[in-house]
Amino acid sequence: MDLSAEEQLHKAMMDTYHLNLLFLSEFDNELFIRVTHLGDLMGKGLYKERYFLEFIKESGDFDIYDNEKDKYLYDKKPKKFNNKAVVQTNFDLKNSINTLNQGFYNHENDGDFSLDEDEGIYSIAGKKLMNDLFKIKEELDYKIDRENRRINKIDKFMFIGTLLGRHIPKIMKKINAKTFFVCENNLEIFRLSLFVCDYSALAVEGRKVIFSIMDDDNILLEKVLDFYNMDVYNNSILKFYTTNHDVKNYFDRIIDRVLSVSPMSFNYYMNLDNVVYNLSKNFFKYKTLSLRDNLELKSFENKPILYIGAGPSLNDNIEWVYENQDRFIIVTMAATLNILFENKIKPDIITTLDPQHYVDIQLFSNPDLKELLADTIVLASINTAENVLEKLSKISRVYLYEVLGSIQVGHKALTGNSVGELTYSIISRFVNIKEIYLLGLDLALNQNTGSTHSSDYEYNKKLDIEDLNKLEVNENYSFKDDVIKIRGNFQKEVLTSRQFYGSLRFYIGQTKLNSVSTYNLSNHGAFIENTIPLKSIDLKVDDFTKIDKENLKESLTEDLESIVVENLSKRDLKSLNSHLNMVNEILEQLNLTEKIKTYDEFNIFANEIFQYLMNPENKINYLKEIYVTYTLAFNPYISYCILIKDKKDKVNIKKVIKAWSNILSKLLTKYKDYLEDIIEENDKRVN
């Protein structure tokens, strides 16, 4: 190569680099700052470069030289690598993550879904969901399988690993997707790619892109969720290309995040017929709490809380809990009651979330329950089964908390995968606690047996820890049964399930906001960021002041009574009526769906309602939860069927939309009736 050619090449590289910096400064300023800071450190000799950009004359393209391992990442054949990347990316299901539940959508209407009111609420909600699916499937009966089918369009695409990114513009041009996710595990490598790849093309002509470059797990998962929520109904097939260089962690985390937002685990009928229905029946019937942020209750002042879960570490520390129970305010989930009672440990506050009627038998069946729970404070979710609330209210001091939303203006919704997260969220609102000690919140398996919980817990099960799941991209994934490795509280790594990992992400988000010092005593457990690992034997409990539990009980009762909602405020009622107007507006829009003629028009229509509900003016979260879980249950499936249909097939999209609209109209009409019942009951109390 003569000197002028070298100069031209260098100029082109610098021009591309500066154009990329300009693009990042406007599009992703945080990434721009990190890249330029790395460049400054290199220029000052404060950062020793590992990777170097080299032009391979024989190939006519750029390679990366790894100085530490004395190797070229493209093996000096970058052009061959890039061409192969383009050739291997096609309009098919190869190299894709299918987010749809194959077993659910492929189920045949065999008549097994008649409703039996004696069944559990989850079973009934699941059957109602299946019956709705059969109405949608009358016009769209496509099997979801792992065959390599052709697809008509690629809406969303992920570049997992960039290396120099020279393949990215070529793939983008070939597939013509509109939404992109670009991740790379090494900032130094990504910076090199800025010299030879124009990333701005990913964000013009209506295209959107999210970058995740050398981010920690928390930020990565947030960005994956942001990508998921872009064109949210086009997630049925997530196509990707991977460089296969330092990317395994990405597949684990992407799948963790995708599985965690499944609309099936707590479907729209659970939101409507369980949560909102029981909200309308129980809000005034029982004592519902006003759980604002930054609550200061006298009974908690300067006292440590021992928060007990049903994880494997509880068994290992049960004698220590017994010996020191009078030195803490003990807050526990109902799932631990049997093992606590057997060991003569009496909690001060019990929390329960399970909405099923037979939880009475599973958790509150102890014949000595009346004596054991006498006057104990129970915090129960507003959707707790009526038979359970009736039983507990006769022997305990029961208070309700709202879940998934709130009809009280200014209240943040309590959310989480389980009672564990919700309980921690409640505790975190009390700001005058001395310290919080976590025990049995392992969020990991027993490392010897694979058990998910303590041995006495009703739902304890053992997962296979001998043959860890080897993650292959096109395999089926299980939110509950897959076993993965994460950082341990006392061990370098521990085994956990994807479900526990989802809960762990929630706890980390909460501990970031919590100003109270929190210690994690769980010896089998996962490491929870912003908490301090501490073994119970190293805790100097003799320095703790003993607590008079009878006085505590009365003090707690007095404090909780002070935040019981007597009736809705004028602001609450104004918000409720405004919310009902939103429901009416959506119902009016659904009457116009007969004018929609194409899938693209339908997708725009559904997205517009989604964005409307995301408006900050919508203060009540329940409607959003119902709409999101409804549309995520069916819209991605509709999208999938449209994408894989043969050109000879003719789908009557108008009939599909009509069925979709009719189901949603019935849901929203029932939702409106429930909220009107609350207003009516409030009026009776006031007048």
Side-chain angles (χ1 to χ4, degrees):
M1 180 185 291
D2 59 35
L3 186 61
S4 62
E6 287 183 0
E7 289 175 343
Q8 289 177 16
L9 182 61
H10 182 264
K11 182 179 184 303
M13 290 167 56
M14 295 308 298
D15 287 346
T16 301
Y17 180 69
H18 289 301
L19 283 172
N20 274 319
L21 289 184
L22 179 62
F23 164 65
L24 290 178
S25 68
E26 298 174 352
F27 187 82
D28 189 335
N29 191 251
E30 188 274 336
L31 180 55
F32 165 77
I33 291 171
R34 290 171 61 207
V35 168
T36 54
H37 179 62
L38 178 60
D40 290 342
L41 293 176
M42 289 176 173
K44 295 175 182 178
L46 299 175
Y47 179 90
K48 184 179 179 181
E49 297 169 68
R50 172 177 173 177
Y51 301 103
F52 296 87
L53 188 61
E54 287 193 18
F55 186 80
I56 307 300
K57 189 185 299 183
E58 297 78 10
S59 180
D61 212 333
F62 294 92
D63 204 332
I64 300 173
Y65 175 66
D66 182 345
N67 188 52
E68 186 176 295
K69 293 187 176 181
D70 187 26
K71 61 179 286 189
Y72 288 86
L73 301 190
Y74 289 91
D75 196 27
K76 289 193 174 183
K77 299 174 183 176
K79 185 165 285 187
K80 180 180 178 182
F81 177 98
N82 295 326
N83 290 339
K84 186 178 180 181
V86 178
V87 170
Q88 289 180 340
T89 303
N90 296 299
F91 288 83
D92 56 28
L93 297 181
K94 283 184 178 180
N95 294 328
S96 68
I97 298 172
N98 190 329
T99 66
L100 300 178
N101 184 319
Q102 185 174 327
F104 172 73
Y105 292 103
N106 289 347
H107 212 293
E108 300 292 338
N109 188 358
D110 53 14
D112 289 340
F113 295 97
S114 57
L115 301 180
D116 181 351
E117 294 302 321
D118 290 331
E119 292 183 89
I121 184 69
Y122 282 104
S123 177
I124 294 172
K127 286 186 174 182
K128 288 181 177 179
L129 175 62
M130 289 301 302
N131 288 328
D132 287 348
L133 173 65
F134 297 142
K135 294 172 186 175
I136 298 289
K137 285 181 67 173
E138 286 180 8
E139 288 296 323
L140 292 172
D141 198 3
Y142 287 86
K143 291 285 186 182
I144 298 171
D145 53 38
R146 293 168 61 185
E147 292 182 13
N148 184 29
R149 296 176 180 272
R150 292 282 300 170
I151 56 178
N152 300 315
K153 185 172 67 168
I154 297 172
D155 294 298
K156 305 178 81 166
F157 198 90
M158 310 176 79
F159 291 102
I160 302 177
T162 63
L163 289 181
L164 290 177
R166 300 280 282 176
H167 56 289
I168 290 177
K170 296 176 182 179
I171 291 176
M172 182 197 74
K173 184 178 180 180
K174 180 177 181 178
I175 63 173
N176 197 31
K178 294 298 183 184
T179 309
F180 295 92
F181 183 80
V182 178
C183 55
E184 168 56 52
N185 223 7
N186 188 289
L187 182 61
E188 187 182 344
I189 288 177
F190 178 74
R191 179 180 176 275
L192 288 181
S193 75
L194 298 179
F195 289 93
V196 293
C197 173
D198 178 12
Y199 286 101
S200 66
L202 295 171
V204 295
E205 299 177 359
R207 290 187 283 267
K208 295 170 285 188
V209 61
I210 289 178
F211 292 97
S212 179
I213 309 301
M214 205 173 173
D215 288 324
D216 65 30
D217 276 359
N218 296 328
I219 296 174
L220 169 64
L221 289 168
E222 288 174 8
K223 290 182 176 180
V224 171
L225 185 59
D226 289 341
F227 172 71
Y228 185 89
N229 286 335
M230 286 179 169
D231 302 319
V232 68
Y233 304 128
N234 290 328
N235 285 316
S236 59
I237 300 169
L238 298 177
K239 285 281 288 183
F240 65 84
Y241 176 78
T242 176
T243 60
N244 285 321
H245 177 76
D246 194 19
V247 296
K248 183 185 183 301
N249 182 61
Y250 281 122
F251 286 111
D252 277 340
R253 297 300 170 252
I254 289 167
I255 291 166
D256 286 334
R257 175 49 82 186
V258 169
L259 290 178
S260 72
V261 293
S262 167
M264 308 303 178
S265 55
F266 200 87
N267 71 40
Y268 53 92
Y269 279 113
M270 287 299 298
N271 278 291
L272 177 63
D273 290 336
N274 179 249
V275 175
V276 183
Y277 169 77
N278 282 306
L279 174 77
S280 69
K281 299 301 178 186
N282 295 335
F283 191 87
F284 292 118
K285 183 176 181 179
Y286 297 94
K287 295 178 178 180
T288 302
L289 298 175
S290 174
L291 290 173
R292 304 178 305 277
D293 282 339
N294 301 320
L295 282 168
E296 291 193 23
L297 302 186
K298 292 180 181 178
S299 49
F300 286 102
E301 191 168 5
N302 292 323
K303 295 184 182 71
I305 282 184
L306 178 60
Y307 174 29
I308 299 177
S313 293
L314 176 57
N315 285 98
D316 296 344
N317 292 275
I318 196 68
E319 289 186 17
W320 178 86
V321 177
Y322 169 74
E323 292 168 358
N324 297 287
Q325 59 183 305
D326 59 350
R327 298 180 187 272
F328 300 89
I329 297 177
I330 296 181
V331 179
T332 189
M333 311 170 203
T336 69
L337 288 182
N338 285 334
I339 186 172
L340 294 185
F341 288 158
E342 284 175 10
N343 288 275
K344 300 180 181 179
I345 299 166
K346 186 168 184 179
D348 303 300
I349 299 175
I350 298 167
T351 61
T352 181
L353 172 67
D354 200 318
Q356 302 179 94
H357 65 274
Y358 52 74
V359 73
D360 174 33
I361 300 171
Q362 293 172 332
L363 299 180
F364 303 110
S365 58
N366 191 308
D368 299 321
L369 185 68
K370 187 170 183 179
E371 179 182 347
L372 292 168
L373 286 181
D375 291 332
T376 300
I377 290 169
V378 176
L379 303 183
S381 62
I382 202 141
N383 61 325
T384 301
E386 178 65 18
N387 63 314
V388 177
L389 288 177
E390 285 185 358
K391 182 172 186 176
L392 289 174
S393 62
K394 292 176 181 177
I395 55 179
S396 304
R397 305 179 187 189
V398 176
Y399 299 90
L400 304 189
Y401 57 89
E402 295 173 275
V403 292
L404 299 179
S406 178
I407 56 174
Q408 301 175 68
V409 174
H411 286 224
K412 291 181 182 177
L414 289 170
T415 58
N417 293 333
S418 68
V419 66
E421 293 99 301
L422 267 73
T423 303
Y424 187 79
S425 185
I426 292 172
I427 294 172
S428 298
R429 300 192 178 196
F430 304 129
V431 295
N432 56 336
I433 298 168
K434 185 178 181 181
E435 298 113 1
I436 299 174
Y437 295 87
L438 310 178
L439 178 62
L441 273 78
D442 295 54
L443 305 175
L445 309 176
N446 183 303
Q447 301 303 292
N448 299 317
T449 67
S451 294
T452 57
H453 296 85
S454 63
S455 56
D456 296 73
Y457 182 46
E458 178 77 21
Y459 299 117
N460 176 47
K461 68 176 183 177
K462 292 184 179 181
L463 300 186
D464 183 4
I465 60 175
E466 296 299 323
D467 184 21
L468 290 184
N469 294 302
K470 294 181 179 179
L471 186 62
E472 298 295 339
V473 175
N474 285 319
E475 287 190 355
N476 293 325
Y477 315 111
S478 171
F479 189 52
K480 293 184 178 181
D481 295 333
D482 281 1
V483 176
I484 58 176
K485 290 181 179 180
I486 57 174
R487 180 181 173 186
N489 193 39
F490 291 110
Q491 303 172 49
K492 183 179 179 181
E493 289 183 327
V494 293
L495 304 177
T496 191
S497 67
R498 293 194 188 283
Q499 184 175 30
F500 282 152
Y501 183 75
S503 296
L504 175 63
R505 306 324 305 172
F506 177 88
Y507 279 107
I508 290 172
Q510 287 291 306
T511 55
K512 278 185 178 179
L513 305 174
N514 190 2
S515 59
V516 179
S517 296
T518 304
Y519 299 85
N520 188 354
L521 309 180
S522 300
N523 45 309
H524 286 282
F527 175 73
I528 304 175
E529 291 180 26
N530 312 303
T531 68
I532 304 165
L534 180 66
K535 294 183 178 179
S536 58
I537 58 173
D538 295 329
L539 182 57
K540 298 179 180 179
V541 288
D542 290 340
D543 295 340
F544 289 20
T545 303
K546 288 190 176 183
I547 299 171
D548 184 323
K549 292 302 181 89
E550 285 302 315
N551 286 342
L552 174 66
K553 185 189 302 181
E554 298 308 316
S555 177
L556 282 170
T557 301
E558 184 179 339
D559 279 342
L560 293 175
E561 288 289 335
S562 72
I563 56 173
V564 168
V565 181
E566 297 297 333
N567 49 62
L568 296 176
S569 68
K570 290 181 179 179
R571 288 180 66 205
D572 297 335
L573 290 169
K574 182 180 178 181
S575 174
L576 262 176
N577 283 304
S578 174
H579 188 69
L580 285 170
N581 290 335
M582 291 184 73
V583 180
N584 287 327
E585 288 177 22
I586 295 172
L587 285 169
E588 289 175 9
Q589 290 296 311
L590 291 175
N591 290 330
L592 303 176
T593 52
E594 61 186 23
K595 297 180 180 179
I596 297 175
K597 298 178 181 179
T598 67
Y599 169 75
D600 287 340
E601 290 177 4
F602 169 65
N603 195 38
I604 291 170
F605 173 81
N607 266 300
E608 285 177 348
I609 296 178
F610 177 78
Q611 295 302 327
Y612 179 52
L613 293 175
M614 291 296 177
N615 191 311
E617 294 300 313
N618 177 25
K619 303 293 185 183
I620 300 176
N621 203 47
Y622 300 114
L623 178 58
K624 183 179 73 174
E625 289 290 332
I626 292 167
Y627 183 79
V628 167
T629 48
Y630 173 73
T631 53
L632 286 184
F634 297 122
N635 291 39
Y637 173 69
I638 297 170
S639 168
Y640 174 86
C641 294
I642 296 295
L643 287 176
I644 67 166
K645 74 180 181 68
D646 190 278
K647 291 181 180 178
K648 297 177 183 177
D649 293 341
K650 288 187 178 180
V651 174
N652 191 331
I653 192 65
K654 289 181 71 68
K655 285 189 176 180
V656 175
I657 295 169
K658 183 178 180 180
W660 181 92
S661 180
N662 287 342
I663 296 168
L664 183 57
S665 293
K666 291 178 182 178
L667 295 171
L668 297 188
T669 300
K670 187 184 283 190
Y671 175 75
K672 192 172 100 170
D673 291 342
Y674 290 156
L675 293 190
E676 287 174 344
D677 287 346
I678 295 173
I679 294 174
E680 182 180 342
E681 183 61 30
N682 185 76
D683 289 344
K684 289 179 183 177
R685 295 171 67 86
V686 173
N687 298 325

